[in-house]
């Protein structure tokens, strides 16, 4: 008899998404700023993105994605121990979007907090959820990535406004039952950061350093500022390195990975990561052509679409990586279980 106590495993058991119905195509964007469909497709791979209607917000999208994820996992909201919302554009500075979601979905027994790691937010939240479950502090956790990027984009800046879109994705993470082979496992997560590069991707105003004033509004300091080439290099190096590190941490080889889901920022960034890893293109999932960069929502939306399209199936091993402002980045390797969307 084996007397060793096994640590609980953390598994993704449900997924949900919410995408605004309004589609903004590259052709329509070309009427707003000096750009073209050709330029955007060649430099980014993006063809269209979703834009929130005035009544759609980070919270409203988080609620819908959460309800869908709970239904997908067949779990009642009152069973949740924790709600984590990864977002860089929360409903308010405070209270947290996670608390407002907790109330709206009826997660009456859950703690709730927001997590800010920009476009890497979902991977960071996944690592927190996994740690809570493995340590036995929680059994059922809802992780949300929800972003209303259209509210912080400078629609006069063609170098950034073509890149982003709105949307939300949510995942239910549960402690796997011993012997339940249908449940997958978040096998490992690694996180990294380099605050020395903070200046390359930020919203300068609205915090304690530069509170909102007439001047900050006039100077357009409440919008995303980005040094494109620096972000590009950081994202390729960072995500490729994170993939290597997470595989090393689990003693896995690249051949053991069936699918790579990198943060959906730019097709050229994903291609850069793929070629550094020397992965076949057939193992790379991409849906950014439809949604643009939805920041912390991009990975759960991509996982959802990959399952819906039957690209990601039970028994496969998927590696995900996120990269964003901070710089903050990380990767996770997940044995995929039975997830119905
Ligand atoms: N349409 C037409 N021309 C444009 C546009 C546009 N939308 N945007 C920039 N240009 C012009 C520039 O003005 C420049 O013109 P110039 O040579 O006359 O000065 C020219 O295109 C080349 O600009 P670069 O910045 O060198 O173009 P590059 O090939 O680097 O592509 C891009 C720009 C797409 C922003 C790229 O740097 C990039 O993808 N960076 C990563 C950004 C990213 O994904 N950020 C998302 C947030 S972070 C994250 O999620 C990882």
């Amino acid at each position: 008899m084996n007397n060793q106590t096994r640590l609980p495993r953390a598994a993704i058991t449900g997924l949900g998404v919410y995408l605004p119905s309004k589609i903004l195509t590259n052709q329509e964007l070309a009427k707003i700023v000096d750009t073209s469909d050709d330029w955007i497709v060649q430099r980014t791979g993006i063809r269209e993105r979703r834009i929130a209607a005035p009544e759609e917000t980070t919270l409203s999208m988080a609620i819908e994605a959460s309800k869908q994820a709970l239904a997908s996992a067949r779990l009642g909201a009152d069973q949740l121990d924790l709600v984590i919302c990864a977002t860089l554009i929360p409903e308010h500075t405070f209270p947290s979007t996670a608390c407002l979601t907790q109330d709206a979905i009826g997660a009456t027994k859950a703690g709730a907090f927001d997590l800010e790691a920009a476009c890497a937010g979902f991977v960071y939240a996944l690592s927190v959820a996994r740690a809570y479950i493995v340590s036995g502090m929680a059994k059922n956790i809802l992780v949300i990535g929800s972003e209303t990027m259209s509210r912080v984009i400078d629609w006069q800046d063609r170098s950034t406004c073509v890149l982003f879109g709105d949307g939300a994705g949510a995942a239910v993470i549960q402690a796997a039952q011993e012997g339940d082979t249908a449940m997958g496992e978040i096998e490992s997560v690694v996180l990294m950061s380099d605050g020395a590069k903070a200046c390359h991707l930020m919203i300068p105003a609205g915090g304690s350093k530069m509170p909102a004033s007439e001047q900050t509004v006039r100077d357009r300091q409440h919008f995303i500022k980005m040094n494109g080439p620096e972000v590009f290099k950081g994202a390729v190096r960072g995500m490729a390195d994170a993939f290597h590190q997470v595989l090393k941490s689990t003693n896995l080889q690249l051949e053991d990975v069936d699918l790579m889901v990198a943060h959906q920022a730019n097709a050229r960034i994903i291609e850069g990561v793929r070629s550094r890893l020397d992965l076949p293109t057939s193992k790379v999932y991409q849906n950014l052509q439809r949604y643009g960069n939805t920041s912390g929502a991009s990975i759960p939306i991509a996982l959802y679409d990959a399952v819906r399209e039957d690209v990601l199936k039970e028994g496969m091993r998927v590696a995900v990586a996120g990269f964003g402002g901070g710089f903050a980045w990380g990767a996770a390797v997940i044995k995929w279980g039975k997830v119905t969307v």
Side-chain angles (χ1 to χ4, degrees):
M1 202 173 118
N2 184 356
N3 285 324
Q4 270 188 333
T5 317
R6 286 240 190 107
L7 293 174
R9 288 183 289 136
I12 293 182
T13 58
L15 285 172
V17 299
Y18 181 83
L19 290 151
S21 57
K22 179 170 172 39
I23 295 172
L24 180 67
T25 64
N26 290 348
Q27 287 85 354
E28 288 167 307
L29 250 180
K31 293 178 192 156
I32 305 171
V33 285
D34 182 14
T35 189
S36 67
D37 178 47
D38 268 2
W39 193 96
I40 302 171
V41 172
Q42 275 174 28
R43 299 298 236 280
T44 73
I46 299 164
R47 293 185 181 273
E48 57 187 44
R49 68 287 291 143
R50 301 299 177 95
I51 302 294
E55 68 278 11
E56 287 172 319
T57 64
T58 298
L59 174 63
S60 75
M61 296 193 296
I63 293 168
E64 294 310 315
S66 299
K67 286 181 180 168
Q68 211 183 83
L70 287 165
S72 159
R74 295 192 172 82
L75 187 77
D78 60 350
Q79 300 295 107
L80 287 171
D81 302 309
L82 199 57
V83 176
I84 308 172
C85 184
T87 183
L88 66 78
I89 169 74
E91 193 79 351
H92 309 283
T93 303
F94 79 94
S96 71
T97 306
C99 275
L100 301 174
T101 307
Q102 168 274 324
D103 173 52
I105 63 175
T108 47
K109 297 182 197 124
F113 62 88
D114 284 0
L115 185 155
E116 204 284 285
C119 301
F122 186 80
V123 174
Y124 268 68
L126 216 53
S127 104
V128 176
R130 179 179 182 272
Y132 264 85
I133 286 175
V134 170
S135 67
M137 284 172 71
K139 283 197 165 69
N140 302 316
I141 302 179
L142 180 66
V143 169
I144 309 158
S146 184
E147 308 276 23
T148 323
M149 302 305 289
S150 61
R151 308 265 154 88
V152 289
I153 288 168
D154 185 346
W155 292 99
Q156 294 179 11
D157 176 7
R158 67 176 181 173
S159 67
T160 52
C161 76
V162 302
L163 301 174
F164 297 97
D166 299 332
V172 173
I173 320 291
Q174 293 186 265
Q177 309 296 325
E178 188 72 34
D180 187 340
T181 48
M183 277 177 116
E185 180 179 6
I186 302 167
E187 294 173 306
S188 183
V189 192
V190 296
L191 303 179
M192 298 163 201
S193 64
D194 182 4
K197 304 264 168 58
C199 59
H200 297 310
L201 188 56
M202 69 190 314
I203 296 176
S208 64
K209 184 177 169 87
M210 209 187 282
S213 68
E214 280 181 30
Q215 190 67 40
T216 59
V217 173
R218 239 191 330 268
D219 293 345
R220 312 186 78 73
Q221 294 296 310
H222 294 271
F223 295 125
I224 290 179
K225 309 285 175 198
M226 183 185 74
N227 177 341
E230 282 298 325
V231 174
F232 194 104
K233 278 186 281 176
V236 172
R237 283 188 200 137
M239 288 196 280
D241 185 46
F243 276 127
H244 278 305
Q245 297 294 337
V246 78
L247 288 175
K248 205 166 145 195
S249 73
T250 43
N251 285 324
L252 290 166
Q253 309 298 316
L254 267 172
E255 300 73 57
D256 300 318
V257 172
D258 300 297
L259 197 68
M260 173 183 100
V261 178
H263 169 47
Q264 302 290 302
N266 180 321
R268 285 163 55 223
I269 291 178
I270 295 176
E271 170 53 24
V273 176
R274 185 208 65 77
S275 84
R276 277 189 172 227
L277 298 176
D278 203 18
L279 265 184
T281 45
S282 59
K283 287 192 174 182
V284 178
Y285 185 76
Q286 190 178 297
N287 67 353
L288 60 85
Q289 60 279 10
R290 294 196 283 275
Y291 311 125
N293 179 349
T294 56
S295 183
S298 96
I299 291 174
I301 293 173
L303 289 174
Y304 179 95
D305 276 7
V307 171
R308 196 170 49 95
E309 292 160 14
D310 219 20
V311 174
L312 178 55
K313 293 181 259 204
E314 186 179 344
M316 289 173 80
R317 182 173 280 114
V318 57
V320 303
F323 182 95
F327 291 164
W329 68 99
V333 60
I334 306 164
K335 186 83 177 158
W336 203 253
K338 189 173 165 54
V339 177
T340 315
V341 300

